[in-house]
C-alpha cells in the first residue's frame, strides 16, 4: 500500500465516521437517556399546550443518580422550560422557568 492510497483510505474512513455521526437520530443530552429526552418533549407539548415541533432540546444534566434534568426552549420566543425524569425515563414534571 502506497502512502497516497493509505491517505485516501484514511480520509474515506474519517468521512464515513463524520457522516454517521451527523446522521445519528440520537437525542442524548447531558447524560439523559434518549427515552427521557423524547418523553420530556412529549410531556412538555401536552402540559404546556404547544405543538411538539415548537420545542427544542437545549441542554441536560444529571443532578443526582437516576434523575435527569432536561432544559427546553419552547415556542418561537424560545421560552425556557425544564423537565425532570427518573431512571426509567418517566417524566416527573415540566415547568416554565422564571425569567431572569
Amino acid at each position: 500500500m502506497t502512502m497516497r492510497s493509505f491517505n485516501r483510505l484514511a480520509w474515506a474512513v474519517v468521512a464515513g465516521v463524520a457522516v454517521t455521526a451527523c446522521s445519528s437520530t440520537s437525542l442524548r443530552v447531558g447524560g439523559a437517556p434518549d427515552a427521557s429526552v423524547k418523553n420530556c418533549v412529549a410531556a412538555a407539548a401536552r402540559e404546556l399546550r404547544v405543538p411538539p415541533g415548537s420545542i427544542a432540546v437545549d441542554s441536560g444534566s444529571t443532578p443526582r443518580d437516576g434523575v435527569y434534568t432536561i432544559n427546553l426552549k419552547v415556542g418561537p420566543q424560545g421560552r425556557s422550560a425544564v423537565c425532570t425524569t427518573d431512571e426509567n425515563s418517566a417524566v416527573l414534571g415540566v415547568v416554565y422557568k422564571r425569567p431572569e
Side-chain angles (χ1 to χ4, degrees), residues 3-83:
M3 186 60 144
R4 177 175 270 164
S5 62
F6 176 78
N7 285 344
R8 285 184 186 156
L9 177 62
W11 280 110
V13 169
V14 169
V17 169
V19 167
T20 301
C22 290
S23 65
S24 172
T25 58
S26 176
L27 295 173
R28 198 165 191 81
V29 175
D34 293 347
S36 288
V37 176
K38 290 175 186 176
N39 290 347
C40 274
V41 170
R46 189 174 52 254
E47 294 292 321
L48 305 175
R49 294 182 173 90
V50 296
S54 70
I55 300 170
V57 178
D58 187 37
S59 63
S61 64
T62 308
R64 60 182 195 259
D65 286 344
V67 176
Y68 302 99
T69 301
I70 299 157
N71 295 306
L72 306 168
K73 296 290 184 185
V74 181
Q77 296 83 18
R79 189 168 175 195
S80 294
V82 65
C83 174

